[in-house]
Amino acid sequence: MSLINITNLTFGYDGGYENIFENVSFQIDTDWRLGFTGRNGRGKTTFLRLLQGKYEYNGSISASVDFEYFPFEVKDDTLTALEIAEQAAPELQYWQLSKELNILEADEEILYRPFYTLSNGERTKVLLAAMFLKENSFLLIDEPTNHLDMKGRELVSRYLNTKKGFILVSHDRSFLDGCIDHVLSINRANIEIQKGNFSSWLINKERRDSFELAENSKLKKEIKRLEATAKEKSRWSDKAENRKVGIDPLKVDNKKGWKPLQAAKSKKLMTRAKAIETRQQNAIEEKSALLKNIETSDKLKIDQLDYHSAKLVSVRELSVAYGDTSVLEKLSFEIEKGDRIALQGKNGSGKSSVIKLICGEKIPHTGIVEVGSGLKISYVSQDTSQLSGRLSDYAEQCGIDAGLFNAILSKLDFTGLMYDKKIESLSEGQKKKVMIARSLCENVHLHVWDEPMNFIDVISRIQIEELLTRFKPTILFVEHDRSFAEKVANKWIGL
């Protein structure tokens, strides 16, 4: 066991409006299984890069371990998986790697296949297994669950629970609960570490937020009173200062009639007034800080068009194949008004194909996909690469209500300064929020979302969950975050 010491860490990007980290200090035990959480854009990936020494910063970071970043950068994916694993951990022994893959329920034969032929889950397993075999390493694991199906997430979570010495960035609550013993959270006003899993951290946070909200009115009144008192004391000190300008306490100014005692008394009053003013300002800052870590969780509101029929979509005996490979056979289901359907299945089972066919994309298939006449659908894809331009212009480009769009983004932790940014410069989680906010603003009968929660932070996921469960729009979605799917869905379709 050793410690990673972060002392007075200060960092901001060139051209940024404010520092991401300001005089931050804390310690990490290298034996911890540390979950790393916080709103999108708060600096989680930036902190991992600082640990790797990729940016210059003020303060100090000291550690006796080597920081290794996951996912490992694969420069030539035509090499076999074994060759890639040996690049990630040159000292590994084959038997060790084979043992790790067995724990992950991955067949050894994948080691002899070109890396590009592996599924996302297989790539994750090979690279994690290899990197944990490196000696004296502390892994920085950045969102390993993206594009992993539920079974893959459960396997990787159980695997990580057998290890120690890592920081894990993930927004999947069930995944985190299965493998971490501490939580590092970047809050609005500070950074904190707590012992326990994600659920215990969230319970503690909700208790603190409830207490702070209960005290909110009282604190605001107290802050207002302190500000008024501070202003009064400031006028008092200014008056005392002005009265003694040009006065030497050891001399008498016959013109003004001042005596040494009066001048000295004026100086004393001014000093006392300044001291009181300083105490008042400190009290204001201290009480205001109590309100800074409450995350915005106001209720969102959307409207969905009413369709003229109870049945919106009918799928009968649907089969999909790519070449000689069959990915889906004889699937049948219907979407009716009020359905919140979770489309589930392992990676490669045809979920995205079903969604694309419903949305009108031409994909070779047999069977029937019948979409109701005049049915309006809002689609959120996995891909964010089509997003471009300034955020402030996006609502107009999409033909949606700009006020509602901005209000939803504000609830999802977008700040005023972000609206002048180009969407390309936003984090992946922020881009996904843009797509979801756009979808929620569209006047449609059916929402169709394909893995919408990838990269989106936990607090925002909870807000979106609450919206969908309260308003109950008709929606078909694919999502491997078990907590999200279980809270939102009222029907499940397994492939």
Side-chain angles (χ1 to χ4, degrees):
M1 184 272 286
S2 61
L3 294 176
I4 300 168
N5 291 291
I6 293 88
T7 307
N8 297 327
L9 175 65
T10 298
F11 174 78
Y13 288 104
D14 290 341
Y17 294 103
E18 57 186 12
N19 287 332
I20 296 176
F21 301 112
E22 188 78 44
N23 293 323
V24 171
S25 299
F26 57 93
Q27 291 182 327
I28 298 171
D29 191 314
T30 56
D31 283 344
W32 286 349
R33 301 191 303 272
L34 188 63
F36 195 9
T37 189
R39 287 276 206 175
N40 295 129
R42 290 270 173 89
K44 296 185 296 297
T45 298
T46 298
F47 179 69
L48 299 187
R49 289 173 177 165
L50 289 169
L51 291 179
Q52 297 173 79
K54 291 186 176 293
Y55 302 136
E56 293 184 2
Y57 57 86
N58 292 323
S60 68
I61 298 174
S62 62
S64 59
V65 292
D66 299 322
F67 294 112
E68 301 289 341
Y69 182 77
F70 176 93
F72 176 77
E73 182 181 4
V74 176
K75 296 181 180 178
D76 183 0
D77 63 4
T78 64
L79 297 175
T80 67
L82 178 58
E83 290 172 315
I84 298 298
E86 290 172 339
Q87 289 181 357
E91 69 277 12
L92 70 80
Q93 300 293 315
Y94 181 85
W95 68 268
Q96 294 174 312
L97 182 59
S98 176
K99 179 182 177 182
E100 297 295 303
L101 290 178
N102 183 58
I103 298 172
L104 285 163
E105 298 184 19
D107 197 312
E108 275 186 61
E109 66 86 18
I110 67 175
L111 293 174
Y112 301 98
R113 287 165 45 193
F115 194 76
Y116 73 87
T117 67
L118 272 58
S119 68
N120 287 319
E122 290 169 336
R123 295 180 188 186
T124 296
K125 292 173 183 179
V126 168
L127 292 177
L128 276 177
M131 296 180 75
F132 269 114
L133 292 174
K134 296 196 72 170
E135 294 184 3
N136 197 46
S137 64
F138 186 87
L139 263 61
L140 311 175
I141 308 173
D142 200 356
E143 305 216 43
T145 58
N146 288 327
H147 308 301
L148 286 181
D149 57 36
M150 281 190 183
K151 183 179 179 182
R153 293 182 184 209
E154 290 168 359
L155 281 171
V156 173
S157 182
R158 288 202 301 268
Y159 176 73
L160 291 176
N161 193 46
T162 68
K163 303 299 180 182
K164 62 181 180 180
F166 60 79
I167 293 177
L168 169 64
V169 177
S170 176
H171 302 301
D172 186 320
R173 288 153 283 180
S174 298
F175 182 82
L176 288 168
D177 277 347
C179 61
I180 65 171
D181 55 21
H182 285 76
V183 174
L184 171 65
S185 60
I186 300 182
N187 304 321
R188 291 180 63 196
N190 63 354
I191 294 179
E192 64 178 357
I193 295 177
Q194 287 187 26
K195 185 177 181 179
N197 61 15
F198 180 82
S199 291
S200 66
W201 173 84
L202 185 59
I203 289 171
N204 289 334
K205 175 174 175 47
E206 288 172 345
R207 285 173 178 168
R208 289 198 311 272
D209 285 357
S210 295
F211 175 77
E212 290 180 22
L213 287 169
E215 294 290 304
N216 188 30
S217 178
K218 186 191 302 183
L219 285 169
K220 285 186 175 180
K221 288 179 181 178
E222 179 68 6
I223 290 169
K224 188 175 181 180
R225 185 188 66 79
L226 288 168
E227 286 175 341
T229 304
K231 189 174 182 180
E232 179 185 348
K233 301 308 179 186
S234 178
R235 288 197 299 267
W236 181 23
S237 64
D238 289 341
K239 184 177 180 180
E241 180 69 11
N242 289 335
R243 290 178 62 193
K244 64 172 278 293
V245 171
I247 298 296
D248 185 333
L250 300 179
K251 298 180 180 178
V252 176
D253 187 331
N254 291 326
K255 184 176 180 180
K256 292 185 177 181
W258 279 76
K259 297 181 180 180
L261 181 60
Q262 291 175 306
K265 184 177 181 181
S266 174
K267 182 177 181 180
K268 183 177 180 180
L269 287 172
M270 183 273 292
T271 302
R272 182 186 172 201
K274 286 293 185 183
I276 292 174
E277 182 185 359
T278 299
R279 289 199 299 272
Q280 299 287 0
Q281 289 295 340
N282 289 340
I284 290 169
E285 291 175 8
E286 180 182 354
K287 291 183 181 295
S288 297
L290 295 174
L291 307 175
K292 290 181 178 178
N293 275 330
I294 299 176
E295 298 288 358
T296 303
S297 57
D298 294 352
K299 293 180 179 179
L300 306 175
K301 187 181 188 311
I302 64 168
D303 292 312
Q304 193 174 47
L305 295 178
D306 185 36
Y307 194 58
H308 59 79
S309 171
K311 184 190 299 182
L312 280 64
V313 176
S314 178
V315 176
R316 299 192 297 275
E317 297 291 310
L318 175 63
S319 297
V320 177
Y322 294 98
D324 296 329
T325 304
S326 175
V327 297
L328 180 65
E329 292 187 359
K330 295 185 176 180
L331 173 69
S332 298
F333 69 94
E334 293 182 342
I335 303 176
E336 297 184 336
K337 283 196 290 188
D339 285 346
R340 301 187 304 282
I341 300 174
L343 190 59
Q344 294 294 303
K346 65 181 182 180
N347 289 335
S349 62
K351 300 183 298 297
S352 292
S353 297
V354 173
I355 280 179
K356 289 175 181 177
L357 283 168
I358 290 174
C359 290
E361 191 169 327
K362 303 297 184 182
I363 294 176
H365 68 281
T366 60
I368 296 174
V369 178
E370 191 174 76
V371 177
S373 174
L375 187 74
K376 294 183 179 181
I377 298 175
S378 177
Y379 174 52
V380 172
S381 70
Q382 297 182 31
D383 183 21
T384 63
S385 62
Q386 79 279 11
L387 296 174
S388 63
R390 293 197 177 277
L391 184 59
S392 55
D393 300 326
Y394 185 73
E396 183 178 353
Q397 294 168 5
C398 296
I400 57 178
D401 186 298
L404 177 59
F405 176 70
N406 293 342
I408 292 174
L409 287 181
S410 176
K411 305 305 182 188
L412 297 177
D413 203 44
F414 274 57
T415 62
L417 295 174
M418 295 171 65
Y419 292 96
D420 289 328
K421 288 186 175 182
K422 289 191 174 181
I423 300 178
E424 300 95 311
S425 69
L426 301 178
S427 71
E428 283 301 310
Q430 290 166 333
K431 290 177 184 177
K432 271 300 184 75
K433 290 180 182 180
V434 169
M435 295 174 69
I436 287 175
R438 182 264 303 161
S439 179
L440 294 175
C441 289
E442 292 178 326
N443 293 317
V444 298
H445 304 105
L446 172 65
H447 288 84
V448 177
W449 293 357
D450 193 358
E451 297 193 32
M453 295 299 109
N454 277 349
F455 302 104
I456 291 183
D457 63 78
V458 172
I459 302 299
S460 296
R461 291 185 188 208
I462 293 172
Q463 288 178 286
I464 296 168
E465 281 172 12
E466 292 173 347
L467 166 69
L468 297 177
T469 53
R470 186 177 72 255
F471 182 72
K472 297 179 173 56
T474 306
I475 182 170
L476 173 70
F477 66 94
V478 174
E479 181 53 56
H480 298 302
D481 180 335
R482 180 177 294 278
S483 297
F484 181 90
E486 288 179 346
K487 285 181 172 62
V488 171
N490 61 6
K491 289 186 179 179
W492 295 69
I493 298 174
L495 303 186

